[in-house]
Amino acid sequence: AEEQEGMRKQVVLVKPFSLDDEKDSEHTTSNLIQRILSLFKNVRPGSDLTNFQLPPQLNLPRSQLQCYGEMVYSLNGQDLLGECGRRDKPIERLKSIVTWNLSTLRPLIFGLAPYNPIVGETHHVSNGYVNVLVEQASISHHPPVSALHATHEKENIDVTFCQYFTPKFRGAYVDVEVKGKRVVKLLNQKETYEMNQPRLVMTILPVTGAHWAGKIVIKCLETGLEAELQLLSDSFLSRFTGNNKRSIKGKIFESSSGRRLYELFGQWDRTVTAKNLKTGEVEVIYNASENIAELKTPIVKNMQEVSESESAMVWSEVSEGIMKQEWEKAREGKRDVEEKQRESRRQREASGQSWIPKHFSVVRAGKDWDCVPLQPRVPQAPIVVPL
């Protein structure tokens, strides 16, 4: 019991960042903005910020792997992923894939970023029928590659993400290009949906802010159906032309002929609507307040099965320090994590060993990376989202 209690202290789980949390204004204080500006005073425009180190005061109390996982397993009692497999018609399944994709967009806090994961770090959580496993799968720092595998036990759905990003300082803003692809396989229907990822833009001047931007393309080769979503940036120009913050415009169409079937419009943090261009019927396909508000904090269900590589354990001291605003403790914890990673790298180099991911095969094809899960199913996790 004493050993289990000691382990429990090493696992720090935090509430997923959700729609209602962005109202917290403490993260937009002038002191925070001044600290951010001071960090960039010696950085030239165009510089790669992949290995840019942040002080704990500018970190969210979670790893980037946890952020990736939350996009899939943290929904407010909704099974949007399972719904994709329950639809009878191909067009309805694509609409459900669009809805699920919208649910992975979450509000951003300007000036705060998650921890950069260490190689071999994992995050394993279950929510109902959805089991999610994320691993920092690449030892490369240019860029570091994260891999996600999720499976839906009941509807026989398989999801893989291969994620890596290149942040660039542009003077008045930081532009983060999120590369890699997302693949959703509806195995019962023998359909594969491939989609790309939006960009992240953090503006510093003239007004601070953080938002998603760019185009999301979702394709299904088997059905010949495709969707495009344009995320309209929260810029002065977009506001001047009448586009609201976080607006979305898009379409669903036949890939071969280009014939439009639906028009999509709305705001991803409110509602998104689809209009049937044949019948004129309009329906709300996504409601953010029903899906990404008041999200629940995961809990540890089985302490003995929690891996030592689990993000909530690796960064526990740092997260605890940040949550209690004990900044020296957070700094020491961060130094310890980074030093352990350096020591592990030195040992591998001394023995001539190369890093091999535990859960994924990571391969490079040209300039891109691909991540293939080593197991067909993600097992139930020792950390779960409570009902």
Side-chain angles (χ1 to χ4, degrees):
E2 289 180 1
E3 182 179 352
Q4 190 178 51
E5 179 63 28
M7 189 175 182
R8 183 178 289 110
K9 292 179 181 178
Q10 297 178 52
V11 178
V12 177
L13 293 162
V14 296
K15 181 178 177 291
F17 189 68
S18 60
L19 195 62
D20 41 307
D21 292 321
E22 66 172 332
K23 298 174 184 177
D24 186 355
S25 61
E26 68 172 313
H27 301 306
T28 58
T29 63
S30 59
N31 287 338
L32 176 62
I33 295 170
Q34 289 174 4
R35 285 202 298 267
I36 294 169
L37 291 174
S38 68
L39 287 174
F40 289 117
K41 66 182 180 181
N42 295 320
V43 181
R44 295 181 178 180
S47 297
D48 187 343
L49 301 180
T50 302
N51 294 323
F52 195 70
Q53 296 296 321
L54 293 176
Q57 290 92 333
L58 298 182
N59 276 130
L60 293 166
R62 56 170 58 77
S63 168
Q64 183 67 61
L65 295 193
Q66 290 170 280
C67 294
Y68 289 148
E70 288 170 5
M71 294 164 62
V72 179
Y73 66 69
S74 285
L75 289 172
N76 191 10
Q78 307 294 318
D79 184 15
L80 297 184
L81 183 60
E83 192 63 28
C84 300
R86 289 190 285 268
R87 298 289 188 170
D88 293 330
K89 298 179 180 179
I91 186 64
E92 295 299 323
R93 290 195 289 272
L94 177 57
K95 283 163 58 182
S96 293
I97 291 286
V98 170
T99 298
W100 173 81
N101 188 284
L102 289 169
S103 75
T104 66
L105 294 172
R106 303 297 168 86
L108 302 162
I109 300 180
F110 171 79
L112 294 182
Y115 319 127
N116 289 327
I118 62 172
V119 65
E121 181 183 331
T122 59
H123 184 49
H124 188 194
V125 179
S126 293
N127 184 0
Y129 295 112
V130 179
N131 305 314
V132 181
L133 176 63
V134 199
E135 181 177 15
Q136 190 64 13
S138 170
I139 195 170
S140 168
H141 292 285
H142 293 286
V145 179
S146 304
L148 177 147
H149 187 206
T151 52
H152 193 290
E153 294 177 351
K154 187 176 181 181
E155 300 299 336
N156 200 19
I157 298 173
D158 184 279
V159 179
T160 55
F161 288 6
C162 185
Q163 312 229 131
Y164 51 103
F165 55 88
T166 54
K168 296 288 182 68
F169 181 58
R170 302 298 187 187
Y173 64 97
V174 176
D175 186 10
V176 183
E177 186 178 1
V178 186
K179 298 183 178 181
K181 64 181 178 180
R182 300 176 180 179
V183 177
V184 178
K185 295 182 179 179
L186 307 182
L187 298 175
N188 291 343
Q189 292 79 16
K190 298 181 180 179
E191 293 174 358
T192 298
Y193 296 81
E194 292 189 0
M195 58 207 77
N196 65 325
Q197 305 174 63
R199 291 167 41 246
L200 166 60
V201 179
M202 297 187 64
T203 56
I204 303 171
L205 297 171
V207 179
T208 58
H211 59 272
W212 298 106
K215 181 188 292 185
I216 300 173
V217 178
I218 303 172
K219 295 182 179 180
C220 179
L221 295 179
E222 291 84 0
T223 65
L225 296 175
E226 189 170 339
E228 285 185 7
L229 297 171
Q230 185 69 44
L231 304 181
L232 304 174
S233 64
D234 182 30
S235 64
F236 173 79
L237 180 60
S238 66
R239 290 193 294 269
F240 181 75
T241 55
N243 293 319
N244 294 323
K245 182 179 181 183
R246 298 170 179 169
S247 291
I248 280 184
K249 290 184 179 180
K251 60 182 178 179
I252 294 176
F253 59 99
E254 294 177 346
S255 298
S256 59
S257 66
R259 184 170 70 92
R260 294 191 180 203
L261 305 175
Y262 284 86
E263 284 185 352
L264 308 172
F265 51 92
Q267 290 84 42
W268 64 259
D269 63 333
R270 299 180 189 177
T271 59
V272 176
T273 301
K275 179 181 179 180
N276 188 318
L277 296 179
K278 182 178 180 180
T279 66
E281 181 182 359
V282 176
E283 62 176 315
V284 174
I285 63 170
Y286 179 67
N287 188 325
S289 64
E290 293 179 356
N291 293 284
I292 60 171
E294 301 179 0
L295 299 177
K296 296 179 180 179
T297 305
I299 59 174
V300 178
K301 183 178 180 181
N302 189 329
M303 291 298 302
Q304 280 126 0
E305 292 184 6
V306 176
S307 169
E308 291 186 4
S309 62
E310 165 61 45
S311 294
M313 182 177 292
V314 170
W315 299 98
S316 60
E317 186 176 345
V318 189
S319 295
E320 200 169 55
I322 291 173
M323 294 165 71
K324 294 180 179 179
Q325 295 190 352
E326 296 176 356
W327 303 118
E328 186 54 38
K329 177 180 179 178
R331 279 191 290 271
E332 290 179 2
K334 207 170 184 182
R335 283 195 294 266
D336 287 345
V337 172
E338 292 165 353
E339 179 52 38
K340 286 178 182 177
Q341 178 171 233
R342 285 191 289 267
E343 178 59 29
S344 178
R345 185 170 61 247
R346 286 193 290 265
Q347 291 179 1
R348 286 195 302 271
E349 291 174 350
S351 61
Q353 295 178 338
S354 58
W355 169 256
I356 300 176
K358 184 177 181 181
H359 303 285
F360 295 84
S361 171
V362 182
V363 294
R364 187 164 192 170
K367 295 182 179 180
D368 294 325
W369 291 83
D370 199 8
C371 308
V372 180
L374 298 180
Q375 299 297 328
R377 292 286 185 273
V378 179
Q380 282 276 340
I383 298 174
V384 300
V385 177
L387 298 176

